[in-house]
Amino acid sequence: GAVVSQHPSRVICKSGTSVKIECRSLDFQATTMFWYRQFPKQSLMLMATSNEGSKATYEQGVEKDKFLINHASLTLSTLTVTSAHPEDSSFYICSADNQGLSQETQYFGPGTRLLVL
Amino acid sequence: GNSVTQMEGPVTLSEEAFLTINCTYTATGYPSLFWYVQYPGEGLQLLLKATKADDKGSNKGFEATYRKETTSFHLEKGSVQVSDSAVYFCALATGGFKTIFGAGTRLFVKA
């Protein structure tokens, strides 16, 4: 099956620092990856759609300068939370499509829990 | 806009009990509907899906039927096991991969 990994799984940082989260598709190539944010006991909210070799498409209300996304290869997308603040503390989840297997099916990473002090 | 509403949890059941987790949706057009499951410490996994009205998705004893008239996609299982304890997310997608999720329902199954 298709496997997506995220690194790190958990990160604690000081306010004002930047944090990079990696999302990798391990056994398939992903033209499109997605970044979600999940607050406790709430839905996953789509932040942005990341396309290999082009700029990410951000959802309304998501600050593109705050959440930098780079999709440099077909197996790696990164999300950088710049100048993180406590309100950025959340669970960040990525997913990747694998059109070779099935359309409209996404494969999710295990998530990264960010705590900003 | 599009949205998904699912029953609040947690749901606590004894082993071999019948499970229903309600899910209703609001969408323009004809969405595909999904149930995802998240086991403790793991990522979301696709459990089942249905792409058009009256389709029934099924997997691992779980099933859900796409009901256009009631805009629902309720998840059911006849006999739950302890290993089914997880968080279940109902979701819809319209056009490609953009997916909208419900809030998730946590299921606890007691031995």
Side-chain angles (χ1 to χ4, degrees):
Chain A
V3 178
V4 175
S5 70
Q6 278 184 245
H7 178 79
S9 59
R10 188 183 299 265
V11 57
I12 301 173
C13 69
K14 293 182 179 179
S15 185
T17 60
S18 295
V19 175
K20 180 185 283 188
I21 302 170
E22 293 185 348
C23 177
R24 293 182 185 273
S25 55
L26 297 185
D27 50 2
F28 66 99
Q29 293 184 328
T31 307
T32 306
M33 290 184 171
F34 301 85
W35 286 97
Y36 294 86
R37 185 173 179 176
Q38 185 180 29
F39 290 103
K41 299 183 180 181
Q42 294 190 28
S43 296
L44 280 73
M45 296 190 62
L46 180 64
M47 298 174 66
T49 302
S50 169
N51 296 295
E52 187 268 337
S54 64
K55 291 184 179 179
T57 303
Y58 290 82
E59 295 300 301
Q60 193 172 8
V62 177
E63 298 176 60
K64 60 180 68 176
D65 295 331
K66 173 86 174 163
F67 298 99
L68 300 178
I69 291 172
N70 184 285
H71 193 157
S73 76
L74 287 172
T75 59
L76 174 64
S77 176
T78 60
L79 168 69
T80 301
V81 183
T82 62
S83 187
H85 291 285
E87 58 265 28
D88 299 323
S89 299
S90 191
F91 193 52
Y92 293 88
I93 303 173
C94 73
S95 71
D97 73 273
N98 186 349
Q99 292 195 350
L101 287 183
S102 174
Q103 285 195 323
E104 291 191 318
T105 297
Q106 297 181 50
Y107 297 89
F108 287 83
T112 297
R113 191 164 298 282
L114 170 64
L115 176 61
V116 184
L117 302 177
Chain B
N2 298 341
S3 66
V4 175
T5 303
Q6 59 182 107
M7 62 189 288
E8 287 189 29
V11 173
T12 302
L13 296 173
S14 297
E15 211 166 20
E16 299 184 4
F18 185 87
L19 168 71
T20 300
I21 301 178
N22 289 338
C23 172
T24 56
Y25 67 91
T26 303
T28 54
Y30 302 95
S32 294
L33 301 175
F34 306 82
W35 277 100
Y36 286 88
V37 58
Q38 186 175 31
Y39 297 104
E42 298 183 16
L44 274 71
Q45 300 173 27
L46 178 66
L47 181 60
L48 53 85
K49 70 176 185 179
T51 58
K52 62 182 188 295
D54 299 326
D55 268 3
K56 178 186 284 188
S58 61
N59 185 25
K60 300 180 182 180
F62 291 89
E63 57 182 36
T65 301
Y66 189 143
R67 301 286 189 199
K68 188 167 181 291
E69 64 276 13
T70 55
T71 62
S72 64
F73 193 55
H74 304 323
L75 182 68
E76 297 181 336
K77 186 174 186 182
S79 176
V80 293
Q81 305 300 312
V82 173
S83 57
D84 294 326
S85 297
V87 181
Y88 293 83
F89 292 91
C90 184
L92 68 83
T94 56
F97 295 88
K98 191 167 181 176
T99 304
I100 294 172
F101 291 86
T105 302
R106 186 174 296 276
L107 171 66
F108 291 105
V109 180
K110 302 179 297 185

